[in-house]
Amino acid sequence: MSYLTLADLKEIEPVAGFKARFVHADHMTLAYWNVAAGAALPQHAHVHEQIANVIEGEFELTIAGETRVLKPGQVAVIPSNVPHSGKALTKCVLIDAFYPVREDYKRAAS
Amino acid sequence: MSYLTLADLKEIEPVAGFKARFVHADHMTLAYWNVAAGAALPQHAHVHEQIANVIEGEFELTIAGETRVLKPGQVAVIPSNVPHSGKALTKCVLIDAFYPVREDYKRAAS
């Protein structure tokens, strides 16, 4: 068991304007993003399934060609290997949940 | 893939003062809680590992006998089958991530 303070965790910026900290359990990773207004995430896909949450701001998400603008209270479920991309229409705070663990982010933030 | 609006989802109150909506992927469940000030969650345990997040308010969490007051920016990782309990010191908004899927909540909110 562990109690963590996000501000104490190493922050990385895997894509320009997308800064993140990560919390890992045995099977899941949660990513806590602070995104600059206008920052864009190129289309990508990963084996990890993902549940994407907008906590603050407006984030334009495109999943398998379908685009929506997400605000707080709206959630996207991205299945394994489905291509997606995004753009922060404003400064955003996002929380993404991934299964299984994002070993790539774990390594990058270690 | 699906885009969801939390307000459109069925809300249940599995414990007095703890109202929740749920989003399920194939392997994970995210629970979105609105908790009344003073509401208490009795000690319990489940096979699901859990990552607990306080989005708004102050929530007193006890995991395996260790108590902390969590505020936004603080996170708890609760491994499988570890007993935990909680109390909302203020009105709270919480997001819990679970692996595997909470089939019990899926049934309860269907």
Side-chain angles (χ1 to χ4, degrees):
Chain A
M1 167 267 301
S2 56
Y3 291 107
L4 300 163
T5 297
L6 293 177
D8 294 341
L9 304 179
K10 182 174 174 181
E11 187 179 61
I12 66 170
E13 188 172 351
V15 172
F18 284 75
K19 295 183 177 177
R21 296 180 169 92
F22 305 97
V23 171
H24 309 280
D26 287 344
H27 298 277
M28 297 183 290
T29 293
L30 262 58
Y32 303 83
W33 299 93
N34 283 291
V35 187
L41 185 69
Q43 180 172 294
H44 65 291
H46 39 68
V47 69
H48 312 76
E49 64 176 19
Q50 177 177 347
I51 302 177
N53 300 274
V54 177
I55 305 301
E56 296 175 24
E58 297 187 16
F59 192 81
E60 182 185 86
L61 191 61
T62 300
I63 307 174
E66 185 178 345
T67 299
R68 299 278 183 95
V69 176
L70 302 185
K71 301 176 186 179
Q74 296 176 301
V75 179
V77 179
I78 307 171
S80 176
N81 292 315
V82 172
H84 52 289
S85 59
K87 184 178 178 183
L89 302 184
T90 68
K91 179 181 171 183
C92 288
V93 175
L94 311 175
I95 299 178
D96 286 331
F98 297 98
Y99 164 87
V101 167
R102 289 291 304 245
E103 298 289 353
D104 50 344
Y105 288 149
K106 187 185 270 193
R107 280 191 300 273
S110 67
Chain B
M1 170 267 302
S2 55
Y3 291 106
L4 301 164
T5 297
L6 293 177
D8 293 340
L9 304 179
K10 183 174 174 181
E11 185 178 62
I12 66 170
E13 188 172 352
V15 172
F18 285 75
K19 294 183 178 177
R21 296 181 168 92
F22 305 96
V23 171
H24 309 279
D26 286 345
H27 298 278
M28 297 183 291
T29 293
L30 262 57
Y32 303 83
W33 298 95
N34 284 292
V35 187
L41 185 68
Q43 181 173 293
H44 65 291
H46 39 68
V47 69
H48 313 76
E49 64 176 19
Q50 179 176 346
I51 301 178
N53 299 275
V54 178
I55 305 300
E56 296 177 23
E58 297 188 16
F59 193 79
E60 182 185 85
L61 191 60
T62 299
I63 308 175
E66 185 178 346
T67 299
R68 299 279 182 94
V69 176
L70 302 184
K71 301 175 186 179
Q74 296 177 298
V75 178
V77 179
I78 307 171
S80 176
N81 292 316
V82 171
H84 52 287
S85 60
K87 184 178 177 183
L89 302 185
T90 68
K91 179 181 172 183
C92 289
V93 175
L94 311 176
I95 300 178
D96 287 330
F98 297 97
Y99 164 86
V101 166
R102 290 291 305 245
E103 298 289 352
D104 51 344
Y105 288 149
K106 187 185 269 192
R107 281 192 299 275
S110 68

